[in-house]
Amino acid sequence: MKLIYHIILRISLALTLILTGWAVFFYVTLIDEINDEVDDSLEDYSETIIIRALAGEELPSQNNGSNNQYYLTEVSQEYAKTRNEIQYKDSMVYIVEKKETEPARMLTTIFQDNDGRFHELTVSTPSIEKKDLKEAILTWIIWLYIILLFCIIIISVWVFYRNMRPLYTLLHWLDKYQTGANNEELKNETQITEFRKLNEATIRYTERNEQMFEQQKQFIGNASHEMQTPLAICRNRLEMLMDDDSLSEKQLEELLKTHQTLEYITKLNKSLLLLSKIDNGQFTETKALSLNQLLKQYLEDYKEVYSYRKITTEIEERSECRVVMNESLAIALLTNLVKNAFVHNIDGGRIQIIFARQSIIFRNTGNQQPLDSARIFERFYQANRREGSTGLGLAIAYSICQLQHFSLQYYFEQGEHCFELCFTPK
Protein backbone atom coordinates (compact mmCIF):
# COMPACT_ATOMS: atom_id res chain seq x y z
CA MET A 1 0.00 0.00 0.00
CA LYS A 2 1.27 3.46 -0.89
CA LEU A 3 2.19 5.94 1.84
CA ILE A 4 -0.59 8.35 0.85
CA TYR A 5 -3.19 5.60 1.31
CA HIS A 6 -1.81 4.84 4.78
CA ILE A 7 -2.13 8.53 5.65
CA ILE A 8 -5.70 8.80 4.31
CA LEU A 9 -6.77 5.63 6.15
CA ARG A 10 -5.35 6.83 9.46
CA ILE A 11 -6.84 10.31 9.01
CA SER A 12 -10.25 8.71 8.36
CA LEU A 13 -10.02 6.54 11.49
CA ALA A 14 -8.82 9.45 13.64
CA LEU A 15 -11.55 11.73 12.26
CA THR A 16 -14.20 9.08 12.97
CA LEU A 17 -13.12 8.78 16.60
CA ILE A 18 -12.87 12.54 17.07
CA LEU A 19 -16.26 13.32 15.52
CA THR A 20 -17.97 10.46 17.38
CA GLY A 21 -16.57 11.69 20.69
CA TRP A 22 -17.46 15.27 19.83
CA ALA A 23 -21.04 14.28 18.84
CA VAL A 24 -21.58 12.43 22.13
CA PHE A 25 -20.14 15.34 24.15
CA PHE A 26 -22.19 17.89 22.16
CA TYR A 27 -25.42 15.93 22.66
CA VAL A 28 -24.88 15.42 26.41
CA THR A 29 -23.93 19.07 26.95
CA LEU A 30 -26.86 20.33 24.88
CA ILE A 31 -29.40 18.13 26.67
CA ASP A 32 -27.94 19.11 30.06
CA GLU A 33 -28.24 22.81 29.23
CA ILE A 34 -31.81 22.38 27.96
CA ASN A 35 -32.83 20.40 31.05
CA ASP A 36 -31.26 23.02 33.31
CA GLU A 37 -33.27 25.84 31.71
CA VAL A 38 -36.50 23.83 31.75
CA ASP A 39 -35.93 22.77 35.39
CA ASP A 40 -35.54 26.43 36.41
CA SER A 41 -38.85 27.23 34.71
CA LEU A 42 -40.56 24.27 36.43
CA GLU A 43 -39.22 25.37 39.81
CA ASP A 44 -40.64 28.87 39.32
CA TYR A 45 -43.99 27.45 38.22
CA SER A 46 -44.14 25.04 41.20
CA GLU A 47 -43.20 27.79 43.68
CA THR A 48 -46.05 29.96 42.40
CA ILE A 49 -48.58 27.17 42.91
CA ILE A 50 -47.25 26.25 46.36
CA ILE A 51 -47.32 29.88 47.54
CA ARG A 52 -50.92 30.26 46.40
CA ALA A 53 -51.91 26.97 47.97
CA LEU A 54 -50.35 27.91 51.32
CA ALA A 55 -51.88 31.41 51.18
CA GLY A 56 -55.33 29.95 50.46
CA GLU A 57 -55.59 31.82 47.18
CA GLU A 58 -57.28 30.47 44.09
CA LEU A 59 -55.05 28.16 42.16
CA PRO A 60 -54.56 28.64 38.44
CA SER A 61 -56.32 26.27 36.05
CA GLN A 62 -54.49 23.00 35.49
CA ASN A 63 -54.12 23.91 31.82
CA ASN A 64 -53.51 27.63 31.37
CA GLY A 65 -53.07 27.62 27.60
CA SER A 66 -49.27 27.61 27.72
CA ASN A 67 -49.16 23.79 27.63
CA ASN A 68 -47.89 23.87 31.24
CA GLN A 69 -49.82 21.49 33.48
CA TYR A 70 -49.89 20.61 37.14
CA TYR A 71 -51.48 17.98 39.39
CA LEU A 72 -51.95 18.56 43.12
CA THR A 73 -52.95 15.66 45.34
CA GLU A 74 -52.99 15.11 49.09
CA VAL A 75 -50.76 12.24 50.32
CA SER A 76 -50.11 10.54 53.61
CA GLN A 77 -47.20 11.34 55.88
CA GLU A 78 -45.77 7.86 55.35
CA TYR A 79 -45.82 8.30 51.59
CA ALA A 80 -44.23 11.74 51.89
CA LYS A 81 -41.34 10.33 53.91
CA THR A 82 -40.54 7.76 51.21
CA ARG A 83 -40.27 10.35 48.44
CA ASN A 84 -37.46 12.78 47.66
CA GLU A 85 -38.20 16.43 48.17
CA ILE A 86 -37.80 17.25 44.46
CA GLN A 87 -37.66 14.84 41.51
CA TYR A 88 -37.08 15.55 37.82
CA LYS A 89 -37.85 13.18 34.95
CA ASP A 90 -38.71 13.04 31.26
CA SER A 91 -42.09 11.64 30.33
CA MET A 92 -44.91 11.80 27.82
CA VAL A 93 -47.98 13.95 28.70
CA TYR A 94 -51.30 14.53 26.97
CA ILE A 95 -51.84 18.13 25.79
CA VAL A 96 -55.56 18.92 25.91
CA GLU A 97 -55.45 21.83 23.42
CA LYS A 98 -53.51 19.83 20.86
CA LYS A 99 -55.22 16.55 21.72
CA GLU A 100 -51.96 14.67 21.39
CA THR A 101 -49.20 13.27 23.53
CA GLU A 102 -45.87 15.07 23.53
CA PRO A 103 -42.59 14.72 25.43
CA ALA A 104 -42.39 16.81 28.56
CA ARG A 105 -40.15 17.60 31.49
CA MET A 106 -41.79 16.92 34.86
CA LEU A 107 -41.04 18.13 38.41
CA THR A 108 -42.51 16.34 41.41
CA THR A 109 -42.28 17.84 44.90
CA ILE A 110 -43.97 17.32 48.29
CA PHE A 111 -44.89 20.16 50.70
CA GLN A 112 -46.82 20.50 53.99
CA ASP A 113 -49.61 23.07 54.46
CA ASN A 114 -50.45 25.07 57.56
CA ASP A 115 -52.74 22.32 58.84
CA GLY A 116 -49.94 19.73 58.71
CA ARG A 117 -51.25 17.89 55.69
CA PHE A 118 -48.89 16.70 52.97
CA HIS A 119 -49.46 17.41 49.29
CA GLU A 120 -47.69 16.12 46.17
CA LEU A 121 -47.34 18.61 43.34
CA THR A 122 -46.41 17.53 39.83
CA VAL A 123 -45.79 20.21 37.23
CA SER A 124 -44.85 19.61 33.59
CA THR A 125 -43.86 21.64 30.58
CA PRO A 126 -43.37 20.48 26.99
CA SER A 127 -39.78 19.63 26.09
CA ILE A 128 -37.90 18.93 22.87
CA GLU A 129 -38.20 15.58 21.11
CA LYS A 130 -34.87 14.03 22.06
CA LYS A 131 -35.20 11.25 19.49
CA ASP A 132 -35.54 13.84 16.74
CA LEU A 133 -32.60 15.75 18.25
CA LYS A 134 -30.45 12.60 18.18
CA GLU A 135 -31.38 11.92 14.57
CA ALA A 136 -30.68 15.52 13.60
CA ILE A 137 -27.30 15.51 15.35
CA LEU A 138 -26.41 12.14 13.79
CA THR A 139 -27.39 13.37 10.30
CA TRP A 140 -25.36 16.56 10.59
CA ILE A 141 -22.43 14.70 12.10
CA ILE A 142 -22.40 12.35 9.10
CA TRP A 143 -22.50 15.28 6.69
CA LEU A 144 -19.83 17.07 8.72
CA TYR A 145 -17.68 13.93 8.64
CA ILE A 146 -18.07 13.53 4.87
CA ILE A 147 -17.33 17.20 4.15
CA LEU A 148 -14.40 17.33 6.58
CA LEU A 149 -12.96 14.05 5.32
CA PHE A 150 -13.31 15.12 1.71
CA CYS A 151 -11.63 18.48 2.39
CA ILE A 152 -8.88 16.92 4.52
CA ILE A 153 -8.16 14.24 1.90
CA ILE A 154 -7.92 16.82 -0.90
CA ILE A 155 -5.70 19.10 1.17
CA SER A 156 -3.59 16.19 2.47
CA VAL A 157 -3.09 14.72 -1.01
CA TRP A 158 -2.17 18.12 -2.43
CA VAL A 159 0.22 18.90 0.44
CA PHE A 160 1.66 15.37 0.36
CA TYR A 161 2.44 15.33 -3.34
CA ARG A 162 3.61 18.92 -3.24
CA ASN A 163 6.09 18.24 -0.45
CA MET A 164 7.01 14.69 -1.48
CA ARG A 165 7.79 15.60 -5.10
CA PRO A 166 11.59 15.38 -4.54
CA LEU A 167 11.15 11.85 -3.14
CA TYR A 168 9.12 10.72 -6.16
CA THR A 169 11.71 12.27 -8.48
CA LEU A 170 14.44 10.33 -6.68
CA LEU A 171 12.43 7.07 -6.79
CA HIS A 172 11.75 7.53 -10.50
CA TRP A 173 15.47 8.08 -11.11
CA LEU A 174 16.37 4.98 -9.09
CA ASP A 175 13.83 2.89 -11.03
CA LYS A 176 15.55 3.79 -14.29
CA TYR A 177 19.08 3.52 -12.88
CA GLN A 178 21.14 0.57 -14.08
CA THR A 179 24.58 -0.18 -12.71
CA GLY A 180 27.19 0.03 -15.44
CA ALA A 181 24.87 1.77 -17.91
CA ASN A 182 24.97 5.37 -19.16
CA ASN A 183 22.52 6.83 -16.62
CA GLU A 184 21.07 10.32 -16.58
CA GLU A 185 22.33 12.78 -14.00
CA LEU A 186 20.08 13.19 -10.97
CA LYS A 187 18.35 16.59 -11.16
CA ASN A 188 16.35 16.99 -7.98
CA GLU A 189 16.68 20.49 -6.54
CA THR A 190 14.91 20.90 -3.21
CA GLN A 191 14.95 23.20 -0.19
CA ILE A 192 13.96 20.40 2.20
CA THR A 193 17.01 19.38 4.23
CA GLU A 194 16.05 15.70 4.62
CA PHE A 195 15.49 15.20 0.89
CA ARG A 196 18.68 17.06 0.03
CA LYS A 197 20.64 14.74 2.34
CA LEU A 198 18.86 11.73 0.83
CA ASN A 199 19.89 12.85 -2.67
CA GLU A 200 23.49 13.29 -1.57
CA ALA A 201 23.56 9.87 0.13
CA THR A 202 22.01 8.22 -2.96
CA ILE A 203 24.61 9.78 -5.25
CA ARG A 204 27.44 8.69 -2.92
CA TYR A 205 26.22 5.09 -2.80
CA THR A 206 25.60 4.86 -6.54
CA GLU A 207 29.11 6.20 -7.23
CA ARG A 208 30.56 3.67 -4.80
CA ASN A 209 28.47 0.93 -6.41
CA GLU A 210 29.73 1.94 -9.86
CA GLN A 211 33.33 1.76 -8.65
CA MET A 212 32.78 -1.69 -7.14
CA PHE A 213 30.99 -2.81 -10.30
CA GLU A 214 33.89 -1.70 -12.50
CA GLN A 215 36.38 -3.40 -10.21
CA GLN A 216 34.35 -6.58 -10.31
CA LYS A 217 34.11 -6.46 -14.10
CA GLN A 218 37.86 -6.03 -14.34
CA PHE A 219 38.40 -8.92 -11.93
CA ILE A 220 36.05 -11.19 -13.89
CA GLY A 221 37.72 -10.20 -17.17
CA ASN A 222 41.18 -10.72 -15.77
CA ALA A 223 40.20 -14.01 -14.17
CA SER A 224 38.69 -15.20 -17.42
CA HIS A 225 41.81 -14.31 -19.39
CA GLU A 226 44.42 -15.35 -16.82
CA MET A 227 42.78 -18.70 -16.03
CA GLN A 228 41.68 -19.76 -19.49
CA THR A 229 45.12 -19.20 -21.03
CA PRO A 230 47.14 -21.51 -18.72
CA LEU A 231 44.34 -24.10 -18.84
CA ALA A 232 44.49 -24.10 -22.63
CA ILE A 233 48.29 -24.40 -22.52
CA CYS A 234 48.06 -27.34 -20.12
CA ARG A 235 45.53 -29.10 -22.37
CA ASN A 236 47.70 -28.58 -25.42
CA ARG A 237 50.79 -29.91 -23.66
CA LEU A 238 48.90 -32.97 -22.48
CA GLU A 239 47.63 -33.58 -26.02
CA MET A 240 51.21 -33.34 -27.28
CA LEU A 241 52.38 -35.79 -24.61
CA MET A 242 49.59 -38.22 -25.50
CA ASP A 243 50.87 -38.26 -29.11
CA ASP A 244 54.21 -39.67 -27.89
CA ASP A 245 54.44 -43.32 -28.96
CA SER A 246 56.93 -44.13 -26.20
CA LEU A 247 54.25 -43.81 -23.51
CA SER A 248 52.90 -46.92 -21.91
CA GLU A 249 49.22 -47.66 -21.80
CA LYS A 250 49.03 -46.85 -18.10
CA GLN A 251 50.78 -43.49 -18.60
CA LEU A 252 48.47 -42.67 -21.48
CA GLU A 253 45.48 -43.52 -19.32
CA GLU A 254 46.68 -41.21 -16.55
CA LEU A 255 47.30 -38.39 -19.03
CA LEU A 256 43.79 -38.88 -20.41
CA LYS A 257 42.28 -38.61 -16.93
CA THR A 258 44.29 -35.45 -16.31
CA HIS A 259 43.11 -34.01 -19.63
CA GLN A 260 39.48 -34.75 -18.72
CA THR A 261 39.98 -33.04 -15.37
CA LEU A 262 41.35 -29.94 -17.10
CA GLU A 263 38.39 -29.97 -19.48
CA TYR A 264 36.05 -30.10 -16.47
CA ILE A 265 37.91 -27.21 -14.79
CA THR A 266 37.69 -25.19 -18.02
CA LYS A 267 33.93 -25.73 -18.27
CA LEU A 268 33.49 -24.97 -14.57
CA ASN A 269 35.48 -21.75 -14.91
CA LYS A 270 33.40 -20.59 -17.88
CA SER A 271 30.14 -21.42 -16.08
CA LEU A 272 31.13 -19.58 -12.89
CA LEU A 273 32.23 -16.54 -14.87
CA LEU A 274 28.92 -16.57 -16.75
CA LEU A 275 27.00 -16.77 -13.46
CA SER A 276 28.98 -13.83 -12.08
CA LYS A 277 28.19 -11.75 -15.15
CA ILE A 278 24.49 -12.65 -14.90
CA ASP A 279 24.38 -11.78 -11.19
CA ASN A 280 26.10 -8.45 -11.90
CA GLY A 281 23.67 -7.60 -14.69
CA GLN A 282 26.39 -7.13 -17.30
CA PHE A 283 24.17 -8.23 -20.19
CA THR A 284 22.41 -4.92 -20.86
CA GLU A 285 22.03 -4.96 -24.65
CA THR A 286 18.66 -6.40 -25.72
CA LYS A 287 16.77 -7.03 -28.95
CA ALA A 288 13.70 -8.90 -30.20
CA LEU A 289 14.38 -12.62 -30.62
CA SER A 290 12.48 -15.62 -31.93
CA LEU A 291 13.21 -18.44 -29.50
CA ASN A 292 11.85 -20.98 -31.97
CA GLN A 293 14.52 -20.19 -34.57
CA LEU A 294 17.25 -19.77 -31.97
CA LEU A 295 16.59 -23.16 -30.40
CA LYS A 296 16.37 -24.97 -33.75
CA GLN A 297 19.75 -23.54 -34.73
CA TYR A 298 21.57 -24.94 -31.69
CA LEU A 299 19.51 -28.12 -31.42
CA GLU A 300 21.15 -29.52 -34.55
CA ASP A 301 24.59 -29.22 -32.93
CA TYR A 302 23.48 -31.20 -29.89
CA LYS A 303 21.90 -33.85 -32.07
CA GLU A 304 25.26 -34.43 -33.74
CA VAL A 305 27.18 -34.51 -30.44
CA TYR A 306 24.81 -37.04 -28.85
CA SER A 307 23.92 -39.01 -32.00
CA TYR A 308 25.70 -42.10 -30.63
CA ARG A 309 23.04 -42.30 -27.89
CA LYS A 310 20.22 -42.54 -30.46
CA ILE A 311 18.00 -40.00 -28.70
CA THR A 312 15.03 -38.87 -30.80
CA THR A 313 13.90 -35.25 -30.66
CA GLU A 314 10.45 -33.86 -31.41
CA ILE A 315 9.48 -30.20 -31.81
CA GLU A 316 5.83 -29.14 -31.49
CA GLU A 317 5.26 -25.51 -32.48
CA ARG A 318 1.89 -24.29 -31.29
CA SER A 319 2.96 -20.67 -31.48
CA GLU A 320 6.01 -18.48 -32.05
CA CYS A 321 7.77 -17.38 -28.88
CA ARG A 322 9.18 -13.87 -29.19
CA VAL A 323 10.96 -12.06 -26.37
CA VAL A 324 13.11 -8.96 -25.93
CA MET A 325 16.32 -9.89 -24.13
CA ASN A 326 20.07 -10.20 -24.53
CA GLU A 327 20.92 -12.68 -27.27
CA SER A 328 23.83 -14.25 -25.36
CA LEU A 329 21.58 -14.87 -22.36
CA ALA A 330 18.85 -16.35 -24.56
CA ILE A 331 21.38 -18.74 -26.15
CA ALA A 332 22.76 -19.73 -22.73
CA LEU A 333 19.23 -20.29 -21.38
CA LEU A 334 18.07 -22.51 -24.24
CA THR A 335 21.30 -24.45 -24.72
CA ASN A 336 21.58 -25.27 -21.02
CA LEU A 337 18.02 -26.62 -20.96
CA VAL A 338 18.63 -28.64 -24.15
CA LYS A 339 21.96 -29.94 -22.90
CA ASN A 340 20.33 -30.96 -19.60
CA ALA A 341 17.71 -32.95 -21.56
CA PHE A 342 20.46 -34.78 -23.50
CA VAL A 343 22.94 -35.35 -20.66
CA HIS A 344 20.37 -36.72 -18.19
CA ASN A 345 18.56 -38.85 -20.77
CA ILE A 346 18.84 -42.56 -21.43
CA ASP A 347 20.19 -44.26 -24.55
CA GLY A 348 17.39 -44.61 -27.07
CA GLY A 349 15.27 -42.10 -25.16
CA ARG A 350 13.43 -39.09 -26.46
CA ILE A 351 13.21 -35.32 -26.05
CA GLN A 352 10.05 -33.34 -26.78
CA ILE A 353 10.11 -29.54 -27.03
CA ILE A 354 6.73 -27.77 -27.06
CA PHE A 355 6.47 -24.09 -28.09
CA ALA A 356 3.32 -22.45 -26.69
CA ARG A 357 2.35 -18.80 -26.73
CA GLN A 358 3.70 -18.01 -23.28
CA SER A 359 5.93 -20.99 -22.53
CA ILE A 360 8.41 -23.58 -23.77
CA ILE A 361 8.25 -27.08 -22.30
CA PHE A 362 11.23 -29.44 -22.38
CA ARG A 363 10.24 -33.08 -21.79
CA ASN A 364 12.80 -35.89 -21.67
CA THR A 365 13.04 -39.50 -20.60
CA GLY A 366 15.53 -40.47 -17.93
CA ASN A 367 15.60 -41.76 -14.41
CA GLN A 368 12.11 -43.06 -13.54
CA GLN A 369 12.19 -41.29 -10.18
CA PRO A 370 11.21 -37.60 -9.87
CA LEU A 371 13.96 -35.17 -8.93
CA ASP A 372 14.03 -32.94 -5.86
CA SER A 373 12.19 -29.86 -7.19
CA ALA A 374 13.28 -27.83 -4.14
CA ARG A 375 17.01 -28.30 -4.85
CA ILE A 376 17.28 -28.99 -8.57
CA PHE A 377 18.15 -25.36 -9.40
CA GLU A 378 20.82 -25.07 -6.69
CA ARG A 379 24.41 -24.61 -7.82
CA PHE A 380 26.47 -27.83 -7.99
CA TYR A 381 23.45 -29.96 -7.05
CA GLN A 382 23.31 -33.22 -9.04
CA ALA A 383 20.90 -35.99 -8.18
CA ASN A 384 22.81 -38.38 -10.45
CA ARG A 385 26.41 -37.51 -11.11
CA ARG A 386 27.21 -37.38 -14.84
CA GLU A 387 30.72 -37.35 -16.24
CA GLY A 388 31.67 -33.93 -17.55
CA SER A 389 28.69 -32.21 -15.90
CA THR A 390 29.49 -29.21 -13.70
CA GLY A 391 26.10 -29.08 -11.96
CA LEU A 392 25.70 -25.43 -13.00
CA GLY A 393 23.59 -25.71 -16.15
CA LEU A 394 20.18 -25.46 -14.47
CA ALA A 395 21.53 -22.90 -11.99
CA ILE A 396 22.59 -20.71 -14.93
CA ALA A 397 19.18 -21.14 -16.59
CA TYR A 398 17.40 -20.28 -13.33
CA SER A 399 19.56 -17.16 -12.78
CA ILE A 400 18.79 -15.95 -16.30
CA CYS A 401 15.07 -16.48 -15.65
CA GLN A 402 15.26 -14.47 -12.45
CA LEU A 403 17.09 -11.66 -14.26
CA GLN A 404 14.49 -11.60 -17.05
CA HIS A 405 11.52 -12.12 -14.69
CA PHE A 406 10.70 -15.46 -16.33
CA SER A 407 9.49 -18.55 -14.51
CA LEU A 408 11.27 -21.93 -14.68
CA GLN A 409 9.52 -24.91 -13.08
CA TYR A 410 10.24 -28.63 -12.86
CA TYR A 411 7.70 -31.45 -12.59
CA PHE A 412 7.56 -35.20 -13.29
CA GLU A 413 4.72 -36.27 -15.56
CA GLN A 414 3.94 -39.55 -17.34
CA GLY A 415 7.38 -40.94 -16.60
CA GLU A 416 9.15 -37.92 -18.10
CA HIS A 417 11.08 -35.01 -16.58
CA CYS A 418 9.52 -31.67 -17.58
CA PHE A 419 11.04 -28.20 -17.41
CA GLU A 420 8.55 -25.44 -18.23
CA LEU A 421 9.87 -21.99 -19.13
CA CYS A 422 7.13 -19.35 -18.84
CA PHE A 423 7.50 -15.74 -19.96
CA THR A 424 5.57 -12.74 -21.25
CA PRO A 425 5.75 -12.65 -25.05
CA LYS A 426 6.67 -9.39 -26.74
Side-chain angles (χ1 to χ4, degrees):
M1 186 183 290
K2 290 186 176 181
L3 178 60
I4 184 63
Y5 298 146
H6 277 286
I7 293 175
I8 292 174
L9 179 61
R10 289 173 181 174
I11 287 176
S12 302
L13 293 175
L15 193 61
T16 301
L17 294 175
I18 292 171
L19 286 179
T20 301
W22 179 85
V24 173
F25 175 77
F26 176 77
Y27 174 78
V28 171
T29 303
L30 181 64
I31 293 299
D32 185 67
E33 185 66 26
I34 292 173
N35 288 340
D36 187 61
E37 292 296 327
V38 173
D39 291 346
D40 289 341
S41 176
L42 289 174
E43 288 176 4
D44 293 339
Y45 187 37
S46 63
E47 285 179 4
T48 300
I49 295 174
I50 292 173
I51 290 173
R52 287 191 177 187
L54 294 177
E57 299 177 2
E58 182 182 359
L59 297 177
S61 61
Q62 290 189 341
N63 192 333
N64 59 7
S66 63
N67 293 334
N68 292 339
Q69 296 180 352
Y70 74 92
Y71 302 96
L72 183 63
T73 56
E74 184 176 349
V75 295
S76 64
Q77 182 178 359
E78 291 76 13
Y79 175 83
K81 291 181 179 179
T82 61
R83 307 292 289 179
N84 294 328
E85 186 177 350
I86 297 178
Q87 291 181 334
Y88 299 96
K89 69 176 181 178
D90 295 316
S91 183
M92 302 294 293
V93 297
Y94 180 76
I95 306 299
V96 178
E97 286 80 1
K98 295 182 178 181
K99 297 181 179 180
E100 62 182 18
T101 303
E102 290 188 354
R105 184 74 171 170
M106 301 181 67
L107 179 150
T108 302
T109 183
I110 293 179
F111 66 92
Q112 187 176 13
D113 59 16
N114 298 328
D115 298 329
R117 293 178 299 179
F118 291 90
H119 302 271
E120 183 180 60
L121 173 66
T122 300
V123 294
S124 65
T125 186
S127 180
I128 62 171
E129 180 63 67
K130 293 182 179 178
K131 182 180 179 182
D132 294 340
L133 180 62
K134 289 179 182 179
E135 292 176 354
I137 291 176
L138 179 61
T139 301
W140 284 107
I141 283 294
I142 291 174
W143 277 108
L144 178 63
Y145 173 81
I146 293 173
I147 294 170
L148 277 178
L149 183 62
F150 185 72
C151 294
I152 289 173
I153 287 175
I154 291 177
I155 295 172
S156 298
V157 170
W158 181 81
V159 171
F160 179 85
Y161 280 108
R162 184 76 177 175
N163 289 281
M164 300 296 282
R165 186 180 299 170
L167 177 62
Y168 285 107
T169 302
L170 179 60
L171 291 176
H172 181 67
W173 183 80
L174 287 173
D175 283 338
K176 297 192 300 181
Y177 183 86
Q178 289 184 345
T179 305
N182 187 17
N183 298 293
E184 296 180 0
E185 183 181 354
L186 176 61
K187 297 178 181 179
N188 193 19
E189 297 294 331
T190 177
Q191 300 298 322
I192 302 176
T193 303
E194 290 79 3
F195 289 147
R196 192 168 62 250
K197 289 183 177 180
L198 183 60
N199 290 337
E200 294 170 357
T202 302
I203 292 173
R204 284 199 308 270
Y205 283 114
T206 52
E207 289 176 349
R208 186 181 304 173
N209 192 40
E210 289 288 346
Q211 293 175 357
M212 294 177 64
F213 180 75
E214 289 299 323
Q215 292 173 359
Q216 197 167 26
K217 280 177 60 178
Q218 291 179 5
F219 170 78
I220 292 172
N222 294 336
S224 176
H225 176 74
E226 297 299 331
M227 292 182 68
Q228 291 296 333
T229 301
L231 287 173
I233 293 173
C234 289
R235 291 203 316 272
N236 291 334
R237 287 180 177 176
L238 284 174
E239 289 171 0
M240 291 174 61
L241 284 174
M242 286 188 291
D243 290 336
D244 190 349
D245 295 335
S246 63
L247 292 174
S248 65
E249 185 178 347
K250 184 175 181 181
Q251 289 173 328
L252 188 61
E253 185 180 346
E254 291 298 324
L255 287 175
L256 183 60
K257 290 180 180 179
T258 305
H259 187 271
Q260 290 174 346
T261 303
L262 284 175
E263 286 286 348
Y264 172 76
I265 294 173
T266 302
K267 292 179 182 178
L268 183 62
N269 182 51
K270 289 181 179 179
S271 298
L272 288 173
L273 290 174
L274 178 59
L275 275 172
S276 298
K277 289 181 179 180
I278 293 171
D279 292 341
N280 293 332
Q282 293 181 224
F283 298 92
T284 55
E285 297 180 0
T286 60
K287 65 178 183 178
L289 299 171
S290 172
L291 298 185
N292 304 52
Q293 297 177 3
L294 205 59
L295 184 59
K296 289 177 185 178
Q297 177 184 347
Y298 286 92
L299 184 60
E300 295 300 323
D301 297 335
Y302 280 93
K303 284 182 181 180
E304 293 179 7
V305 173
Y306 295 97
S307 59
Y308 69 95
R309 300 185 64 186
K310 299 180 180 180
I311 299 173
T312 59
T313 58
E314 302 174 13
I315 297 179
E316 182 181 340
E317 292 186 87
R318 300 175 184 172
S319 177
E320 185 179 13
C321 300
R322 297 191 64 85
V323 295
V324 176
M325 65 181 297
N326 182 271
E327 186 174 4
S328 298
L329 288 183
I331 293 171
L333 174 60
L334 296 176
T335 54
N336 274 288
L337 291 172
V338 169
K339 182 182 177 182
N340 177 76
F342 274 104
V343 170
H344 297 281
N345 215 315
I346 57 175
D347 294 343
R350 79 164 191 137
I351 297 173
Q352 184 184 23
I353 303 172
I354 303 172
F355 289 95
R357 185 174 179 273
Q358 295 185 347
S359 65
I360 304 177
I361 302 175
F362 297 81
R363 302 174 66 98
N364 66 273
T365 53
N367 192 333
Q368 290 301 305
Q369 296 297 324
L371 303 175
D372 187 353
S373 58
R375 300 189 58 198
I376 193 170
F377 298 113
E378 292 181 4
R379 298 180 183 183
F380 301 109
Y381 173 76
Q382 295 187 67
N384 298 304
R385 182 74 180 182
R386 296 281 180 170
E387 185 178 352
S389 175
T390 61
L392 292 174
L394 290 177
I396 291 173
Y398 189 73
S399 295
I400 295 172
C401 289
Q402 285 186 313
L403 181 66
Q404 297 296 137
H405 304 290
F406 295 166
S407 171
L408 182 60
Q409 297 178 337
Y410 164 80
Y411 54 90
F412 190 71
E413 184 179 76
Q414 298 178 355
E416 293 182 330
H417 301 276
C418 304
F419 290 87
E420 185 172 0
L421 172 63
C422 300
F423 54 89
T424 303
K426 300 293 183 182

